[in-house]
Amino acid sequence: MSPRTVDTATYDAFRVTACLSVFLFCITAAGALFQAENETAMRRCINTEATKEECLITVYGR
């Protein structure tokens, strides 16, 4: 393999790894944010003296 081919392959591997890392980070961040919103909504619902079942339907049924 020529040095140019090795450089290109290394760059491509780095680019694929970087893109995959960013993609997985975005999915993880979105999941954590969604979970935090669900927990906040559940706390608000429970504070209104609704039953747990009503809160689950309200929060997760949206």
Side-chain angles (χ1 to χ4, degrees), residues 41-55:
M42 183 63 90
R43 282 194 195 101
R44 276 196 317 265
C45 184
I46 289 174
N47 289 339
T48 63
E49 298 180 6
T51 65
K52 185 175 181 179
E53 290 79 19
E54 290 171 338
C55 289

Side-chain angles (χ1 to χ4, degrees), residues 22-51:
V22 169
F23 176 72
L24 292 175
F25 174 77
C26 289
I27 288 177
T28 303
L33 181 63
F34 187 71
Q35 182 62 28
E37 288 177 2
N38 281 346
E39 287 175 6
T40 303
M42 183 63 90
R43 282 194 195 101
R44 276 196 317 265
C45 184
I46 289 174
N47 289 339
T48 63
E49 298 180 6
T51 65

Side-chain angles (χ1 to χ4, degrees), residues 7-25:
D7 288 344
T8 302
T10 302
Y11 176 71
D12 288 344
F14 175 75
R15 190 170 49 180
V16 167
T17 303
C19 289
L20 183 61
S21 296
V22 169
F23 176 72
L24 292 175
F25 174 77

